[in-house]
Every structure is written in C-alpha cells, then in structure tokens.
Amino acid sequence: MDYKDITFKISTGCGRGLCRRGVGRQDKQLNTYDWLADVPGNADSTDLVEVQFKNTRKGYYHNVNNLDLRKGDVVAVEANPGHDIGVVTLTGQLVKLQLKKANLKSADDIKRIYRLAKPVDMEKYEEAKGREHATMIQSRQIAKDLGLDMKIGDVEYQGDGNKAIFYYIADERVDFRQLIKVLAETFHVRIEMKQIGARQEAGRIGGTGPCGRELCCATWMKNFISVSTNAARFQDISLNPQKLAGMCAKLKCCLNYEVDNYMEAGKRLPPKDVILQTADADYFLFKTDVLAGLVSYSTDKRTAANLETITVERAKEIIEMNKQGEKPLSLQEDGQVDDNRPKDLLEGESITRFDKNKKKKKKKAKADKQENKGEVQQLNANPQETQQPKGNTPKTEKNVAPKAEKSNKPLEKNKQQAEGGAPQGQRNNQGKRNNPRKPRPAKEQGGAPVEGKVAKPANKKNNEG
C-alpha cells in the first residue's frame, strides 16, 4: 500500500475530528478553533504541539526536531513503551492555554515528537487497529467469567501494538488485578485500565438529544463541567429528573449554558419576601419572568388570586413608597390598565357554540318520543275500538249507560250467583266469556216467548190492562 494512500485513509476515514478534514471543521469533537493561525510568528512562539488519539484522548508533546507541523499531520510520538500514532490538532500560542486546562502535574508528562509517520508506522497502526473489536468482545467475556461488576466499553491499541488501553465503566470500585493478569496472558501486550464516566461513554457512542440535534459531548464539547440542580433552580425549571436527565442519565450539560445570564438578570429582581401594600390589599410574589423583567403578585400566599403583573421598576417604586408609609391605589400606575394580564381569546364566545346541531337533534327526538307516547296512551284509553269486532256488542259495565247500570247491575249479579255462573265479563271453565246477550222482545200479537229466554214487557200500560 502506498504511503499517500495510507495517509489519506487515516486522515479522511474518521468523522469525529481525527482526520485532516475533521480537524479543519469547527463543529467536531475536541476541536479548538485556532484564531491565531494567521498571526505571523505564532507557530514559532512555542514548540508545544497538541496531538489527539482515539476517542477523547489527547496529549501534549515537544517538537524537539523543529518539524514543520500543521493541523492534521499524522506523527509518531514517544510512548511508554514504544511509540504511538496520532494527529496534530493544534500548534502555536494556544497550546499553552490548553495545557493549563489539562492540569498536568509535572513537565515530565510532556514527551517528544519523533517524526512524521512513515509507511511502516502506518502498517503497524492499521494492524493493531484491526484487532481492537475482537479484543473488546473477548475481554468482556473474561470479565464476566471472573464475576466483575464492570463493562468494558472500548479498547485502544498503541500505534506499535505493544500496549492496549481498556476503557471500562463501573458504578463501584473494582479489583481488576486478576483481570489484568488474565488479559496480559491472553493478548501478550501491556495492559492499562482506564475508567470513564457516563458522560464520556455517551460522547464516545454518540446519539441524538431531545432537542433533535446530535449530542454536544459527541460533537464540539472539549471537557465536562459538573452540573448541579442549582442551575435548574436559577432558571425556574421544574426539578423533574426525567426532563433534566440526558442520554447518559446525568443532568444535561446544556443547563450550564444560560445559567450565568439568569443569575445576572436575577440580581435586578425585587426580593421574594417583600409584600407590596396597596390601598385595597396586600400582594405577595407569585412568579417571575427573569429575562422579560416582569413579576406577578397575588393577594394570597399559596394560590393565584387577583393576579397582577407589573414590571420590575414598578415593583421597586412601590417598595420605596411603602417604606415611606405611602400606599398606592393599585399595583398598576394611576389611570392605566394591566396590559400584561393573560387575555382570554374566547371571552365573547359561548361554550356551547358547537352544540347547536346536537340540540336540534335532541329536541326532534324528544318531540317524536312524546308523540308516540300520546298515541299509546290514546290506544290504552279505548281498547274496545280496536279489539272488538263490528256488529252487536255485548253490554258491559263500560258501555252501559250510568242509569241503566245502577238499576240492572244488582239484578244481574244476583241472578248469576243463583245460577252458579261466573260474574259478567269473566271467562267460565270452558274458556268462553260469560256475557249473556240482550233478551229479544216478545211478539206483540199473542206470540209465545222463545224457550229459555225471558220476555220483557213491552209497555207498562198494556200489562195493567
């Protein structure tokens, strides 16, 4: 493989800031913008060079051989033991500032740059890099067999293949002395264990945050600053762990982005325990809009009653008036209306404006129901009009005139009881209704009455004659 091809592969095969293209872009992880690059003499101001390796590991080295190094060059640097391969990410005066952030304990930690990487160095580097994934999988199985409560997240081989760094995550302290012995016997390299946190693990894996953008720790963040819940309190954010936690299950790093502005704006707000006294009532602080400079007061300490929203300047003015023993007519300035109150967009609208069609349907159904009910009641009131056949109908208690009912009813009742029959209108043993027909009148010219039937006298005067 040609040296140019190998150099191009390592310089263009990474998308996280390790390549020649990546280090030139300002949105990649651990990339520092060199704003002194165009200043004459900046490169010769110091021999310190910043070199980046796999993941987030960086190192600072002396350019003792006075090599003409630029951002993106692949170099071979001193390691313990052997040498390592990395990419130059920063040169010049800014390296000293980055060196202060690294907090190196002694000058001995700053090693030397040997040379620009040769084709032989690149071949060893590619060979060692090809073994990293298989080594990680096998080391996880070894840690599981030893019963260690840890997770090996990544393995990084040194450029010459003589050393391997194992990155692991553990909640508690882990005794991995036996693990190091087993790993050294298995892979025949020098072992170094390096513990990383959840934030570094999230930055190494990458992902998309709840804002819809790629994680800050996987793109541009160069170091991690501790985040506390006070940052959320200063910004009036609800202390909900599910919303404040990021992909790493820790507090989001973006909580620190605007906290300084909120703290600066919060100094201009009136004290929270001050009560504003007016001619009508006393007002207590209910909520604040820090960036807008608005404060809302309520007449009740615990609930939102008669809310009044005023500016910070007006609140301080009322506080000064109360100190002098004066009480304004209201929190608002005289003759002005509170324009900051929340406005009801549907103030003049009816709540049931969409229920008109439903009301019409309900009224129509109710009218039909009442009409059907009236027809049923009418049928129940006159059942014989629909059930009895046409023609001569028997005289019953309902169709007999009131006078005739009074005179004939006791006679018919006594007659039926004497004959042992059932009362009129009821069924006998044979299932026939016991309603005797109306007796027919006898013939006027001496005709004999029909057997079994009683002839009714035609006229009272004829009987007497």
Side-chain angles (χ1 to χ4, degrees), residues 72-363:
D73 291 337
V74 182
V75 294
V77 300
E78 181 184 1
N80 187 18
H83 67 274
D84 203 352
I85 303 297
V87 180
V88 177
T89 54
L90 191 63
T91 60
Q93 192 67 25
L94 289 182
V95 181
K96 292 183 178 180
L97 300 177
Q98 293 295 104
L99 197 60
K100 292 181 180 179
K101 295 180 180 180
N103 295 325
L104 295 179
K105 297 179 180 179
S106 64
D108 298 336
D109 295 336
I110 303 176
K111 296 181 174 57
R112 298 174 298 169
I113 294 178
Y114 288 149
R115 59 188 178 273
L116 290 171
K118 295 180 180 180
V120 179
D121 300 330
M122 299 305 299
E123 289 178 1
K124 289 184 178 179
Y125 174 77
E126 291 294 332
E127 182 182 355
K129 188 177 179 181
R131 296 185 296 169
E132 290 178 353
H133 184 71
T135 302
M136 181 186 66
I137 301 300
Q138 191 173 355
S139 62
R140 286 181 178 178
Q141 186 63 36
I142 293 173
K144 183 178 180 181
D145 296 339
L146 294 176
L148 299 178
D149 188 10
M150 59 184 295
K151 174 190 174 184
I152 298 177
D154 197 6
V155 177
E156 179 186 0
Y157 271 97
Q158 199 169 269
D160 56 359
N162 294 328
K163 180 181 176 181
I165 302 175
F166 291 81
Y167 297 93
Y168 72 94
I169 302 173
D171 297 333
E172 299 178 356
R173 187 179 179 85
V174 179
D175 185 8
F176 44 77
R177 290 176 293 182
Q178 183 64 26
L179 176 64
I180 292 176
K181 293 180 181 179
V182 177
L183 292 177
E185 294 175 358
T186 304
F187 303 111
H188 305 287
V189 293
R190 186 173 179 178
I191 305 300
E192 180 182 348
M193 304 297 297
K194 192 172 183 179
Q195 185 175 3
I196 60 176
R199 298 180 188 274
Q200 288 82 357
E201 178 71 6
R204 188 186 66 82
I205 297 174
T208 304
C211 58
R213 302 184 63 182
E214 191 175 357
L215 297 179
C216 298
C217 55
T219 51
W220 60 270
M221 287 188 66
K222 294 176 285 296
N223 48 16
F224 297 97
I225 303 174
S226 61
V227 185
S228 63
T229 55
N230 290 330
R233 291 191 179 95
F234 283 123
Q235 301 176 64
D236 290 337
I237 301 176
S238 176
L239 299 179
N240 188 352
Q242 296 180 353
K243 294 183 178 180
L244 296 181
M247 302 296 291
C248 57
K250 304 292 182 181
L251 292 178
K252 295 178 182 177
C253 298
C254 56
L255 291 175
N256 285 340
Y257 295 169
E258 300 178 357
V259 65
D260 294 336
N261 293 334
Y262 275 89
M263 292 177 65
E264 189 68 24
K267 295 179 181 179
R268 299 191 295 267
L269 297 177
K272 296 182 179 181
D273 55 346
V274 175
I275 302 174
L276 302 186
Q277 298 178 354
T278 61
D280 298 334
D282 295 342
Y283 288 85
F284 305 89
L285 182 64
F286 183 73
K287 65 178 181 178
T288 59
D289 191 344
V290 182
L291 299 181
L294 300 176
V295 286
S296 299
Y297 285 88
S298 171
T299 55
D300 194 343
K301 288 184 178 181
R302 300 179 181 179
T303 59
N306 303 322
L307 279 180
E308 293 284 347
T309 303
I310 58 177
T311 61
V312 175
E313 290 76 11
R314 176 60 178 172
K316 291 183 178 180
E317 182 182 350
I318 296 175
I319 292 174
E320 293 296 329
M321 295 176 64
N322 292 337
K323 288 181 180 179
Q324 297 176 4
E326 300 178 2
K327 294 183 179 181
L329 297 178
S330 63
L331 293 184
Q332 304 296 329
E333 296 182 4
D334 297 340
Q336 292 187 1
V337 183
D338 184 10
D339 296 334
N340 297 321
R341 283 185 176 182
K343 298 179 180 179
D344 187 5
L345 300 178
L346 302 177
E347 184 177 358
E349 298 291 340
S350 175
I351 299 177
T352 59
R353 62 188 183 279
F354 297 115
D355 301 340
K356 293 181 179 179
N357 295 333
K358 294 182 179 180
K359 284 185 177 181
K360 290 181 180 179
K361 292 180 180 179
K362 288 182 179 180
K363 287 182 179 180

Side-chain angles (χ1 to χ4, degrees), residues 63-81:
N63 185 11
V64 293
N65 297 323
N66 296 324
L67 301 173
D68 185 15
L69 300 178
R70 298 180 181 274
K71 201 172 185 179
D73 291 337
V74 182
V75 294
V77 300
E78 181 184 1
N80 187 18

